[in-house]
């Protein structure tokens, strides 16, 4: 690392300390809510100050990623889904790391190549080394002006304390066993240390950890110690034999064509075997079909990436067989989609079923692009898959799938009079808002009044800090407090 810290670096270290305090306040004080959005605002403010004179690269993708980061952090304030609450704790930090490394890397660095992943990890390791070097340099600065003989004495004292600890542990246990009064005296020693606040100490440790994590990582982003273009994999590129691959694809496609014929005979025509109801048939094969579809997508990607297409015969043969495979996968996907729709008609809508529906729509987009890629070889699969996956994940997080679940179940109730109030109660606060609307329409639904009474009591007694502020929760609590059960 550099031999000295400049004035600008000193100011940046202070800003990272403030950012560490903000991070501890945002994530370790209470349930995460608006605090995540506040922290991301502070984090990027510090980053932009540190790199205010730097010309960023990969700006188009960078803008897309930062928009997704802002939206995902805002979801903690706007929505209240527990699945995305947990996932985004991991997804957002990795997106931030990817984004910062991307926009500070040289223009010739290809982010959609396998070498970019080790490039990111190398930056993380460099940040750790930077902090170790910074600590060593700080230690040297403390030694300045101190005589060497005094330093040797202190080192020997600390070493003596460390050596005495295991001996002291054995001796104390023997003495405690030998004398009851001594045991009582030693047992009271922990009371002497109550002056030390353990909670404050742990919070200080968290703040210092976050401070130097931010400081070290953002300090080394533009270090050019690593040339990613030289990290190419040595040796011959792994390739699959074209003839073997064509043979495998012919066999797989034959099975799928047979399955497609069966599907058109009694599924798409609206007729089933006598021993199956629609709901039973849907439940029986949905996940199997979805899993097979994902296998087909994996096969297609592997063939497009690793198969040797040295001759025009192999190239054309693989294109035709992969096209058949993609079209067969589309039939499987359509069959799975219809099965799930029938199952929802029979048993109602849940978060998982709506999520899987959205995932199948996402797969349609992926398969469509993959079909184009089969015939236009210059297109990049990973580039499109990454961007599409990022947009899809951000969309399903921010649009609130629970709202769709509540709406569809309310529509189903209007048509059939069937609704599961206990399931809506276990959704996010969007489910509670749905129960309030349901109560206004019909107060005689079993268990509905009891659930809302419990929820109203929760709204009247719960007192959360600013970090946990959530717009959806506030809306639900406001509506609950308006309810009159007399």
């Amino acid at each position: 690392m550099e031999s000295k810290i400049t004035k600008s670096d000193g100011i940046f270290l202070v800003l990272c300390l403030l950012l560490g305090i903000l991070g501890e306040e945002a994530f370790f004080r209470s349930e995460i809510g608006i605090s995540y959005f506040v922290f991301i605002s502070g984090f990027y403010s510090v980053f932009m100050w540190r790199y205010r004179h730097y010309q960023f690269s990969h700006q188009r993708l960078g803008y897309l990623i930062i928009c997704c980061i802002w939206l995902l952090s805002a979801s903690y304030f706007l929505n209240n889904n527990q699945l995305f609450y947990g996932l985004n704790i991991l997804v957002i930090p990795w997106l931030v790391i990817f984004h910062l490394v991307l926009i500070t890397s040289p223009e010739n660095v290809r982010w959609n190549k396998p070498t970019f992943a080790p490039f990111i990890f190398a930056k993380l390791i460099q940040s750790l080394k930077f902090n170790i070097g910074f600590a060593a340099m700080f230690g040297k600065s403390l030694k300045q002006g101190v005589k060497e003989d005094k330093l040797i004495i202190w080192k020997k004292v600390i070493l003596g304390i460390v050596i005495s600890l295991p001996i002291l542990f054995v001796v104390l246990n023997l003495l405690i066993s030998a004398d009851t009064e001594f045991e009582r005296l030693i047992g009271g020693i922990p009371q002497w240390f109550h002056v030390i606040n353990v909670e404050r100490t742990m919070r200080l440790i968290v703040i210092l950890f976050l401070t130097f994590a931010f400081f070290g990582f953002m300090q080394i982003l533009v270090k050019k110690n690593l040339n990613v273009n030289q990290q190419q994999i040595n040796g011959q590129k792994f390739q699959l034999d074209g003839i073997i691959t064509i043979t495998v694809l012919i066999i797989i496609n034959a099975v799928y064509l047979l399955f497609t014929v069966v599907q058109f005979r009694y599924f798409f025509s609206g007729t089933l075997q006598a021993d199956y109801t629609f709901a039973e048939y849907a439940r029986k094969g949905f996940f199997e079909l979805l899993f097979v579809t994902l296998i087909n997508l994996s096969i297609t990607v592997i063939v497009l990436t690793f198969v040797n297409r040295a001759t025009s015969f192999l190239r054309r043969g693989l294109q035709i067989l992969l096209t058949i495979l993609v079209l067969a996968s589309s039939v499987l996907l359509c069959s799975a989609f219809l099965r799930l729709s029938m199952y929802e008609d029979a048993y109602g809508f849940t978060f998982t079923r709506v999520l899987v529906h959205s995932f199948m729509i996402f797969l349609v987009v992926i398969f469509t692009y993959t079909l184009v890629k089969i015939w236009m070889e210059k297109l990049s699969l990973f580039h499109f898959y990454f961007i599409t996956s990022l947009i899809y994940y951000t969309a399903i997080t921010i649009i609130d799938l629970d709202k769709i679940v509540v709406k569809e179940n309310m529509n189903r109730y209007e048509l059939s009079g069937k609704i599961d109030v206990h399931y809506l109660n276990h959704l996010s606060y969007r489910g509670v808002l749905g129960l309030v609307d349901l109560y206004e329409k019909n107060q005689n639904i079993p268990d509905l009044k009891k659930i809302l009474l419990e929820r109203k009591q929760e709204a009247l007694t719960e007192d959360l800090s600013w970090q946990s502020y959530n717009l959806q929760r506030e809306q639900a609590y406001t509506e609950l407090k308006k309810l009159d059960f007399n």
Side-chain angles (χ1 to χ4, degrees):
M1 72 172 271
E2 298 176 1
S3 59
K4 63 179 182 178
I5 298 295
T6 65
K7 180 180 178 181
S8 178
D9 291 332
I11 296 173
F12 179 59
L13 179 59
V14 173
L15 291 176
C16 286
L17 175 61
L18 296 176
L19 193 58
I21 295 172
L22 178 61
E24 193 275 331
E25 283 282 340
F27 303 124
F28 297 94
R29 294 280 181 171
S30 184
E31 180 182 341
I32 301 173
I34 197 173
S35 58
Y36 213 131
F37 188 81
V38 173
F39 173 77
I40 288 294
S41 302
F43 180 87
Y44 272 98
S45 297
V46 172
F47 171 76
M48 294 307 296
W49 181 87
R50 173 64 180 83
Y51 289 95
R52 58 194 180 280
H53 302 307
Y54 188 81
Q55 183 64 39
F56 296 117
S57 61
H58 306 91
Q59 292 192 33
R60 286 188 299 177
L61 180 60
Y63 286 135
L64 173 64
I65 295 175
I66 196 172
C67 286
C68 292
I69 291 171
W70 283 98
L71 289 172
L72 291 175
S73 64
S75 69
Y76 282 93
F77 161 64
L78 298 173
N79 302 327
N80 188 247
N81 184 278
Q82 292 303 307
L83 173 63
F84 295 123
Y85 181 97
L87 285 176
N88 286 331
I89 289 177
L90 300 175
V91 171
I92 296 176
W94 279 108
L95 270 181
V96 170
I97 292 172
F98 179 83
H99 176 245
L100 297 190
V101 174
L102 175 74
I103 63 176
T104 55
S105 62
E107 283 285 355
N108 61 342
V109 172
R110 301 291 299 276
W111 66 268
N112 56 349
K113 296 296 181 181
T115 50
F116 194 70
F119 182 67
I120 294 176
F121 283 105
K123 289 293 184 182
L124 294 174
I125 294 172
Q126 284 179 4
S127 67
L128 179 61
K129 291 180 179 179
F130 180 90
N131 281 326
I132 294 173
F134 179 80
M137 189 181 67
F138 183 73
K140 289 180 181 179
S141 66
L142 292 178
K143 292 181 182 179
Q144 293 179 356
V146 181
K147 294 182 179 180
E148 186 65 27
D149 55 346
K150 291 185 177 181
L151 287 175
I152 294 175
I153 292 173
W154 278 108
K155 288 180 181 179
K156 290 181 179 180
V157 170
I158 294 173
L159 182 61
I161 293 173
V162 172
I163 293 173
S164 67
L165 287 177
I167 302 174
L168 191 63
F169 176 78
V170 175
V171 171
L172 280 175
N173 276 283
L174 292 173
L175 292 176
I176 287 171
S177 301
D179 190 275
T180 305
E181 189 62 31
F182 185 74
E183 180 183 7
R184 188 180 297 110
L185 175 65
I186 297 299
I189 287 179
Q191 302 295 326
W192 303 352
F193 296 97
H194 277 183
V195 66
I196 301 175
N197 191 308
V198 177
E199 182 181 353
R200 290 180 181 176
T201 303
M202 293 303 299
R203 293 192 185 282
L204 178 61
I205 292 173
V206 170
I207 289 172
L208 292 177
F209 174 80
L210 293 176
T211 297
F212 287 100
F214 300 146
F215 180 70
F217 182 64
M218 285 194 268
Q219 282 287 73
I220 56 84
L221 281 174
V222 293
K223 300 288 183 182
K224 298 181 179 178
N225 302 342
L226 181 67
N227 187 353
V228 71
N229 293 323
Q230 295 177 357
Q231 291 195 7
Q232 303 297 332
I233 300 174
N234 295 325
Q236 189 176 4
K237 182 181 176 180
F238 173 75
Q239 287 187 328
L240 296 172
D241 183 80
I243 300 298
I244 296 175
T245 304
I246 285 179
T247 305
V248 172
L249 288 176
I250 289 174
I251 296 172
I252 293 175
N253 283 338
V255 174
Y256 288 145
L257 287 174
L258 178 61
F259 179 83
T260 302
V261 171
V262 173
Q263 293 294 289
F264 275 104
R265 280 187 58 192
Y266 66 88
F267 188 80
F268 294 113
S269 62
T271 60
L272 291 175
Q273 294 173 343
D275 54 345
Y276 281 114
T277 65
F278 273 139
E280 289 171 342
Y281 189 83
R283 181 173 54 190
K284 183 177 184 296
F286 166 73
F287 286 105
E288 289 85 348
L289 289 177
L290 189 60
F291 187 65
V292 170
T293 303
L294 293 175
I295 291 176
N296 291 349
L297 180 61
S298 302
I299 292 173
T300 305
V301 172
I302 291 172
V303 171
L304 288 173
T305 306
F306 296 110
V307 172
N308 182 6
R309 288 165 283 180
T311 66
S312 58
F313 169 76
L314 283 176
R315 178 177 287 103
R316 190 64 66 197
L318 287 171
Q319 286 175 333
I320 294 172
L321 289 171
L322 287 176
T323 300
I324 296 173
L325 183 63
V326 169
L327 294 177
S329 301
S330 301
V331 174
L332 297 178
L333 199 58
C334 183
S335 177
F337 192 91
L338 291 174
R339 290 169 190 255
L340 183 58
S341 298
M342 291 190 303
Y343 196 68
E344 288 169 336
D345 290 338
Y347 295 104
F349 291 79
T350 65
F351 172 79
T352 302
R353 293 165 195 166
V354 174
L355 178 63
V356 173
H357 256 314
S358 70
F359 181 67
M360 287 191 285
I361 296 172
F362 165 73
L363 285 180
V364 169
V365 177
I366 290 295
F367 272 112
T368 302
Y369 180 85
T370 305
L371 183 61
V372 176
K373 161 67 178 176
I374 291 171
W375 297 93
M376 299 178 65
E377 298 179 2
K378 292 184 179 180
L379 296 177
S380 171
L381 279 179
F382 180 79
H383 187 282
F384 181 82
Y385 286 178
F386 175 81
I387 292 177
T388 308
S389 301
L390 181 60
I391 293 173
Y392 165 72
Y393 180 80
T394 304
I396 62 173
T397 302
I398 204 69
I399 64 175
D400 190 9
L401 294 181
D402 286 344
K403 185 175 182 179
I404 299 174
V405 174
V406 172
K407 179 182 176 182
E408 292 299 330
N409 277 286
M410 294 292 283
N411 292 338
R412 183 170 178 266
Y413 172 74
E414 295 291 341
L415 296 174
S416 65
K418 297 178 181 179
I419 194 163
D420 187 346
V421 294
H422 294 284
Y423 177 75
L424 294 183
N425 184 43
H426 285 90
L427 280 177
S428 64
Y429 287 97
R430 181 64 62 185
V432 177
L433 288 169
L435 291 176
V436 172
D437 292 339
L438 190 63
Y439 184 77
E440 292 174 351
K441 294 178 181 179
N442 186 355
Q443 300 181 5
N444 298 319
I445 297 176
D447 295 332
L448 179 57
K449 184 176 180 179
K450 178 184 176 182
I451 291 172
L452 290 176
L453 277 170
E454 294 174 353
R455 285 292 194 164
K456 184 175 182 178
Q457 185 63 29
E458 175 188 321
L460 293 172
T461 57
E462 191 168 61
D463 183 24
L464 296 174
S465 60
W466 72 267
Q467 291 96 330
S468 303
Y469 183 82
N470 179 272
L471 185 62
Q472 196 175 97
R473 182 194 294 117
E474 290 301 314
Q475 291 174 346
Y477 283 179
T478 300
E479 294 301 319
L480 285 168
K481 292 173 183 178
K482 292 178 182 178
L483 289 178
D484 185 7
F485 296 103
N486 297 326

